[in-house]
């Protein structure tokens, strides 16, 4: 689950390298939701991932999700959708 990776990244020093293909896929979701700022590797036609990802920042929306997501009946998915909408409006 992408949020598990987000929890792991909070505990790491940034920038952080992410090398495992499943984690890079999760990172793509986190970045698309506006929860992290990261450089992602290219994907070749055969599906191979070229190099690691580099996470530069957990955005304020990512931190808010970790702090408040799930409280007061707010699901992580709903919060992430709301955060993405706010980041694209900014």
């Amino acid at each position: 689950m992408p949020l598990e990776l987000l929890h792991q990244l909070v505990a790491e020093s940034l920038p952080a390298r992410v090398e495992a293909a499943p984690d890079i896929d999760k990172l793509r979701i986190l970045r698309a939701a506006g929860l992290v700022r990261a450089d992602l590797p290219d994907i070749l036609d055969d599906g191979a991932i070229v190099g690691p990802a580099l996470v530069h920042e957990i955005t304020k929306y990512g931190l808010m999700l970790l702090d408040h997501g799930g409280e007061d009946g707010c699901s992580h998915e709903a919060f992430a959708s709301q955060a993405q909408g706010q980041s694209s409006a900014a």
Side-chain angles (χ1 to χ4, degrees):
M1 174 170 240
L3 291 177
E4 292 171 355
L5 179 59
L6 189 61
H7 280 282
Q8 292 172 7
L9 290 169
V10 166
E12 294 186 24
S13 297
L14 298 180
R17 289 173 58 103
V18 176
E19 297 187 17
D23 287 340
I24 292 172
D25 289 339
K26 293 173 189 172
L27 196 54
R28 289 182 192 287
I29 295 167
L30 294 171
R31 187 177 84 164
L35 303 176
V36 298
R37 192 172 57 81
D39 295 327
L40 300 174
D42 292 328
I43 300 176
L44 301 178
D45 291 338
D46 65 0
I49 295 174
V50 182
L54 189 62
V55 180
H56 298 282
E57 175 186 16
I58 298 171
T59 68
K60 65 181 178 180
Y61 301 111
L63 295 172
M64 287 169 57
L65 176 63
L66 293 174
D67 287 343
H68 303 291
E71 292 180 11
D72 301 315
C74 178
S75 72
H76 292 299
E77 293 82 9
F79 190 93
S81 295
Q82 180 181 358
Q84 183 179 13
Q86 289 176 0
S87 65
S88 62

